[in-house]
Amino acid sequence: MSSTRVLVLNSGSSSVKYQLLDMRDSSRLAMGLVERIGEQTSRLKHTPLAGGGESREWTGPIADHDAALKAVAAELAKDGLGLDSPELAAIGHRVVHGGKHFTEPTVIDDTVLAEIERLIPVAPLHNPANLTGIRTAQHLRPDLPQVAVFDTAFHTTMPESAARYAIDVETADQHRVRRYGFHGTSHAYVSRATAKLLGRAPEDVNVIVLHLGNGASASAVRGGVCVDTSMGLTPLEGLVMGTRSGDVDPAVIFHLMRVGGMSADEIDTLLNKKSGLIGLCGDNDMREIRRRIEEGDEQARLAFDIYIHRLKKYIGAYYAVLGRVDAVAFTAGVGENAAEVREAAVAGLAELGLAVDGELNAVRGDEPRLISPEDARVAVAVVPTDEELEIATQTYALVGKNS
């Protein structure tokens, strides 16, 4: 029997998201989420997608990731999709930080695990959780190929002029300080999907991808290759986000230490969890911010204007980096659903060939679509991202031929 299924795992510190896909037609067979791992009120929601089954929810104590994955395996088995199935070709793992070393999906062995662990200092929140998920999956299916797909891999093509910070080279190299970028699986998927929408090959298209969710990043993609991205050593740099500040003068940190008496940990929490939209107006949900603006809330309006100002700056910067832009693609939760954000982001950029058609922009849908006028010099698109499909595709491309 041919092995064509891939289980995609995205392991967080207290959660596991998963999808099971059949790579013969990229169809989803099941998906789910385990959250609050380690608590008495852990929750598992499982949705079988093949055959139109109904979602099942379970609440109770799930002690650790080992117990969480065993619970996932049990739910899949109820639908005849168990982890012991001979049709399962591999398990693909999202790994946030791969540093400079990992430039493509990689079959996981002890050397790979050691390198992911070595990178924990530059991804202290993400890589440990990713490692836990990998080791648990290896324990459950030691015979099965496990593949790491790295958030940073798509951005490893950036030239040194874009990846380097202008600090002492020896210090930077010693501590691996450089711009790595994140959301790479999304940027890779969306840039290719945008080229397909235009009816052109990826290598012929220059795209600015705007991944706008609670976390947000921009990338400049020339001919299918990333040449710049907004996130840096960590996901803190760049655009204004839900709870992250994005770009800030580094001296702000020293000022808050010296004048505000704040510790490094307090400033870390401030910039990552209490800044961005939530720091500016108390809300990080764009829908709520827009509702408040409509009611005349000036603080919400200012937060929105700051968000758009930063976004517009990156569009202009990446236009300059690319020289020629064929499309600007909006994706992720805000990018796919907030028409007001898309309209405001390109407003006033007609001289660059950018505009949106009001009627097209107002349409909601799950398929890639153009929202720019028919005669626009630069296409503006909404392209729903699919990071799980991207991870499954890369995983199967690596191991499927041997399954």
Side-chain angles (χ1 to χ4, degrees), residues 7 9 11 16 64-74 76 82-85 88 91 93 132-146:
L7 178 64
L9 294 179
S11 300
V16 176
D64 51 30
H65 282 71
D66 185 67
L69 280 187
K70 286 178 179 175
V72 169
L76 288 168
L83 295 192
D84 58 350
S85 169
L88 190 60
I91 298 177
H93 298 266
T132 299
I134 291 169
R135 286 172 172 145
T136 301
Q138 286 180 322
H139 175 70
L140 291 176
R141 280 298 306 268
D143 59 313
L144 201 66
Q146 312 268 339

Side-chain angles (χ1 to χ4, degrees), residues 230-305:
S230 58
M231 287 179 166
L233 173 72
T234 76
L236 180 59
E237 186 181 356
L239 302 174
V240 175
M241 304 176 222
T243 66
R244 299 181 195 136
S245 65
D247 293 337
V248 67
D249 181 352
V252 169
I253 297 168
F254 313 137
H255 178 80
L256 291 175
M257 283 181 168
R258 294 165 181 157
V259 178
M262 295 177 69
S263 68
D265 286 344
E266 287 173 329
I267 296 172
D268 190 310
T269 298
L270 171 71
L271 296 180
N272 277 292
K273 297 181 179 179
K274 297 181 178 180
S275 295
L277 292 172
I278 205 164
L280 291 167
C281 71
D283 271 309
N284 63 332
D285 187 322
M286 188 59 72
R287 294 165 297 187
E288 182 64 17
I289 291 170
R290 291 302 307 175
R291 185 193 66 76
R292 287 172 55 184
I293 290 172
E294 289 172 6
E295 294 179 353
D297 188 317
E298 289 303 316
Q299 201 64 33
R301 165 57 67 182
L302 178 60
F304 182 82
D305 289 347

Side-chain angles (χ1 to χ4, degrees), residues 189-191 193-198 207-212 327-343 346 355-372 378-386:
Y189 177 86
V190 171
S191 60
T194 302
K196 183 178 179 180
L197 181 63
L198 299 181
V207 186
I208 297 172
V209 178
L210 304 172
H211 177 109
L212 308 179
V328 173
F330 290 86
T331 193
V334 174
E336 293 170 28
N337 297 298
E340 301 93 343
V341 169
R342 299 190 296 260
E343 180 181 10
V346 302
V356 299
D357 179 290
E359 290 186 8
L360 294 175
N361 190 36
V363 173
R364 298 177 70 92
D366 298 327
E367 297 298 321
R369 61 195 185 277
L370 295 176
I371 59 171
S372 46
V378 177
V380 180
V382 179
V383 181
T385 192
D386 198 331

